[in-house]
Structure formats: structure tokens, C-alpha cells
Amino acid sequence: MKASEVKDMTPDQLQDQLLKLKKEQFNLRFQSASGQLEKTSRQKQVRRDIARIKTIQRQHATAQVKG
């Protein structure tokens, strides 16, 4: 997921995407613990996508306060 894609999302879409990614992160962690994880790079990608979404949400929140 690219930052430009995330910036175009509405706040509701961002929240839905964040919940989806957190569920996926949980499942990946569970698979890793049980030794069933095949794509270990996906964990890093999901973690960064979550951070990207949280950053955009924070930017939207500060923009609303200022303007």
C-alpha cells in the first residue's frame, strides 16, 4: 500500500483498513509462533502499512484542529 493511496481514503475507510490489517497481523503472529508462516516479509509489510495509516489519521486529526 502506498502513502498516496492512504491519503485518498476517508476516515471511515482508514479505520476499516486499520482493523483489517491488525487482524492480519494477529494471524501472522499466530502462524509464526506455530511455525506455519511462509512469507515472513509480510509481517514487516503489514506493520509498516499500519504505521502509514496511523500517521495519516494523525495528520487528518491535526489538520481539523488547526483549520
Side-chain angles (χ1 to χ4, degrees):
M1 179 180 309
K2 294 185 177 183
S4 60
E5 295 172 0
V6 177
K7 287 180 184 179
D8 294 337
M9 291 183 178
T10 65
D12 290 335
Q13 289 174 329
L14 287 172
Q15 190 63 31
D16 291 341
Q17 188 68 23
L18 183 63
L19 290 173
K20 179 182 166 188
L21 287 170
K22 284 191 173 198
K23 286 180 184 179
E24 183 178 355
Q25 185 182 34
F26 174 79
N27 289 331
L28 289 171
R29 239 188 259 146
F30 193 85
Q31 288 175 6
S32 178
S34 63
Q36 297 176 347
L37 185 62
E38 293 179 10
K39 291 177 109 178
T40 56
S41 63
R42 183 67 183 145
Q43 286 179 309
K44 183 177 181 180
Q45 187 178 10
V46 168
R47 190 173 64 244
R48 288 186 178 190
D49 286 344
I50 289 171
R52 210 172 267 124
I53 288 175
K54 285 185 174 183
T55 300
I56 299 300
Q57 284 180 328
R58 182 70 178 149
Q59 287 175 352
H60 285 277
T62 57
Q64 287 179 353
V65 171
K66 289 182 180 181

